[in-house]
Amino acid sequence: MRQSNLFTKTRREAPADEVAKNAQLLVRAGYVHKEMAGVYDFLPLGLRVLNKIIDIIREEMNAIGGEEVFLSALQDPEVWKKSGRWNDEIVDVWFKTRLKNGNELGLGNTHEEALTALMSEYVASYKDLPRYVYQFQNKFRNEMRAKSGIMRAREFIMKDLYSFSKDAASHAEFYEKVAGAYEKIFERVGIGAKTYRTFASGGSFSKYSHEYQTVCAAGEDTIYIDSAKRLALNKEVYDDSEVYAVTGMDKKNLKETKAIEVGNIFTLGTRFSEALGLSYKDAEGKSIPVFMGSYGIGPGRLMGTIVELMADEKGLVWPEAVAPFSTHLVSLGQTDDEIKKMADALYRDLVNANIDVLYDDRDLRAGEKFMESDLLGIPYRIVVGKNTVATGAFEVVERVTGTIMKRSYAELLAK
Ligand code: ATP
Ligand code: MG
């Protein structure tokens, strides 16, 4: 892509009311636009990052047998009344609205109810199970505090996966598969080393659920990590003696830290299937409620977490797997025929070699271009200037380390 065709611009100042580092940088770099507190739009560069994260999650969900769907965000109150969660005292983040005829509707904050009701029309016998159904869908939550930028938005995309199993034992097996997929996802997007499987409170069926918590000072949660075991406890279960028996963790090995909940996995048991009439007939014809689990990841929260962890004083820094482009080609002389010819040719050859390249073909001062390039955080920068033309050696700068390498034309294309 040519940068002259990009409608977004970088800015020197972030919105005055924005306190989160992730949103400050993403707004300044033109990746996202802030509508109001907790409400963000994704612009071309930001959408490329978000989609790369989504693609990685999708690959890992498909690899464990997930089937992708896309449910409506509009929620029928009658379905939610069956589980008791239409009540604002039970779910305190509802956005509710009305049809013209006066009937109420909800904007979905999660999809257990809608999907369980839907599945009851497709699951009848043990032969129809198990099923693993997921989506990337907008959730609406009237969050109290929206001070963490895109990590806590009032409208956000969630990857929500739901499992429908015959019994607790087959559920437990799939639950561990999801845990494995989650670990791969966090590894692939570059936050694996700082992300801990964390015991948290579980709800009615299982005593504990698992959160995936990424250690970061900007996190809203407090967790206790055991780095040798690579496990952690959420503060909410820290004083529960049973959790130490279950995990083999020892209070004296734990270190308190702030963390960001990037995902979670949850055993629901039959809470929703019983409330919404999702059951199957076993081989003897006996009716049994389906055993469920739910598994969430917020791609936007992941993107914000990557920014919080990787950005430096010059701006954003993206790991290659999620970067909007792998390469930033910066030409320092659009008015100089020789430089322009060389940069144009390199751009064409990189594109033909299937390299994701953003080409800064604008006529701006070198200092300004470098400052912007640093802010955008693209992993590699190739510079074409007077020296390049004179020597045939291209300067390649690695954003994360600042390392400068010299490469010939042929070497660039071979990489
Ligand atoms: P939190 O305790 O941080 O509010 P939650 O327990 O409400 O999270 P879930 O309902 O389980 O989260 O949602 C699944 C995933 O969706 C979370 O792990 C997180 O990655 C993401 N998520 C939740 N709320 C938001 C939000 N307001 N903005 C962006 N992502 C979110
Ligand atoms: Mg929440």
Side-chain angles (χ1 to χ4, degrees):
M1 178 178 209
R2 284 173 180 270
Q3 215 165 331
S4 56
N5 290 340
L6 193 64
F7 77 80
T8 57
K9 296 188 171 75
T10 63
R11 312 191 203 169
R12 283 192 208 287
E13 307 288 338
D17 63 338
E18 185 57 72
V19 294
K21 174 164 97 176
N22 67 83
Q24 285 178 349
L25 282 171
L26 291 166
V27 169
R28 278 187 50 215
Y31 282 64
V32 305
H33 173 254
K34 183 173 188 174
E35 289 275 348
M36 54 185 137
V39 181
Y40 298 90
D41 308 307
F42 285 79
L43 304 177
L45 294 175
L47 187 59
R48 287 178 78 99
V49 176
L50 192 66
N51 280 335
K52 290 207 169 168
I53 294 172
I54 286 174
D55 287 346
I56 289 172
I57 299 174
R58 179 178 284 122
E59 271 178 37
E60 298 301 341
M61 291 298 101
N62 290 343
I64 56 171
E67 290 184 85
E68 188 168 356
V69 295
F70 184 72
L71 270 56
S72 174
L74 299 179
Q75 301 293 300
D76 179 355
E78 293 317 310
V79 174
W80 284 77
K81 280 174 190 164
K82 291 183 183 162
S83 69
R85 294 208 294 180
W86 183 250
N87 189 334
D88 291 296
E89 269 150 43
I90 304 223
V91 172
D92 63 358
V93 295
W94 269 116
F95 280 111
K96 292 179 178 175
T97 185
R98 266 177 205 289
L99 290 174
K100 294 230 160 100
N101 68 12
N103 289 347
E104 269 191 305
L105 283 187
L107 299 182
N109 50 72
T110 181
H111 277 81
E112 278 85 2
E113 278 79 353
L115 186 63
T116 307
L118 183 157
M119 291 305 278
S120 71
E121 297 190 27
Y122 297 93
V123 171
S125 110
Y126 66 93
K127 292 177 190 149
D128 299 324
L129 295 173
R131 291 288 176 218
Y132 312 121
V133 180
Y134 75 97
Q135 60 178 348
F136 292 92
Q137 220 282 358
N138 285 24
K139 305 294 188 240
F140 297 84
R141 293 186 182 181
N142 199 342
E143 300 275 8
M144 272 274 274
R145 300 154 294 139
K147 301 236 179 295
S148 293
I150 65 165
M151 300 196 298
R152 186 172 297 285
R154 296 201 162 102
E155 178 185 0
F156 62 95
I157 295 179
M158 192 197 288
K159 183 286 296 171
D160 41 336
L161 163 71
Y162 304 88
S163 63
F164 302 90
S165 302
K166 283 192 277 251
D167 51 34
S170 49
H171 163 79
E173 219 171 281
F174 183 69
Y175 188 91
E176 284 310 314
K177 271 197 188 169
V178 180
Y182 273 34
E183 271 149 35
K184 283 189 194 148
I185 291 164
F186 300 132
E187 195 63 46
R188 287 180 66 183
V189 303
I191 62 169
K194 294 204 161 159
T195 302
Y196 287 79
R197 180 171 174 158
T198 303
F199 283 75
S201 62
S204 46
F205 257 83
S206 62
K207 177 128 198 221
Y208 306 109
S209 68
H210 293 101
E211 296 170 341
Y212 284 83
Q213 293 273 4
T214 307
V215 173
C216 177
E220 295 182 14
D221 290 8
T222 300
I223 63 164
Y224 295 84
I225 57 174
D226 180 330
S227 28
K229 284 199 156 62
R230 289 223 41 90
L231 282 178
L233 302 179
N234 191 302
K235 190 177 183 167
E236 64 195 20
V237 299
Y238 180 73
D239 287 321
D240 169 14
S241 56
E242 200 182 319
V243 80
Y244 297 96
V246 170
T247 61
M249 287 160 95
D250 188 333
K251 251 189 189 173
K252 73 175 193 297
N253 298 331
L254 300 182
K255 198 177 115 228
E256 184 182 306
T257 176
K258 286 284 177 196
I260 301 163
E261 181 202 308
V262 287
N264 64 24
I265 60 178
F266 216 98
T267 297
L268 301 170
T270 57
R271 160 150 171 40
F272 293 95
S273 51
E274 285 190 63
L276 291 146
L278 172 60
S279 57
Y280 69 97
K281 293 251 190 316
D282 70 6
E284 281 81 49
K286 203 173 107 206
S287 182
I288 297 173
V290 172
F291 200 99
M292 291 173 55
S294 75
Y295 317 83
I297 293 184
R301 187 175 288 183
L302 260 187
M303 179 170 160
T305 302
I306 295 165
V307 174
E308 295 286 341
L309 290 181
M310 311 263 309
D312 61 18
E313 67 292 342
K314 294 180 187 162
L316 298 166
V317 179
W318 297 110
E320 234 175 307
V322 304
F325 296 92
S326 72
T327 306
H328 198 191
L329 172 61
V330 177
S331 157
L332 299 181
Q334 285 308 97
T335 51
D336 178 315
D337 269 355
E338 271 187 299
I339 296 176
K340 183 172 183 316
K341 224 164 91 193
M342 189 172 236
D344 280 350
L346 180 57
Y347 174 58
R348 192 196 55 226
D349 288 344
L350 289 171
V351 169
N352 288 340
N354 274 326
I355 291 169
D356 241 1
V357 54
L358 179 66
Y359 175 23
D360 188 353
D361 57 344
R362 301 164 309 161
D363 185 22
L364 293 174
R365 283 185 306 110
E368 208 171 325
K369 287 197 169 199
F370 289 147
M371 221 162 70
E372 274 203 8
S373 175
D374 282 337
L375 178 60
L376 294 182
I378 294 168
Y380 295 98
R381 173 161 82 214
I382 304 177
V383 183
V384 181
K386 276 209 163 56
N387 280 337
T388 325
V389 173
T391 63
F394 293 79
E395 200 172 85
V396 182
V397 186
E398 189 185 33
R399 175 66 181 85
V400 62
T401 57
T403 311
I404 301 174
M405 300 161 276
K406 294 278 185 189
R407 293 283 182 271
S408 71
Y409 201 92
E411 282 169 337
L412 280 181
L413 289 173
K415 188 103 200 310

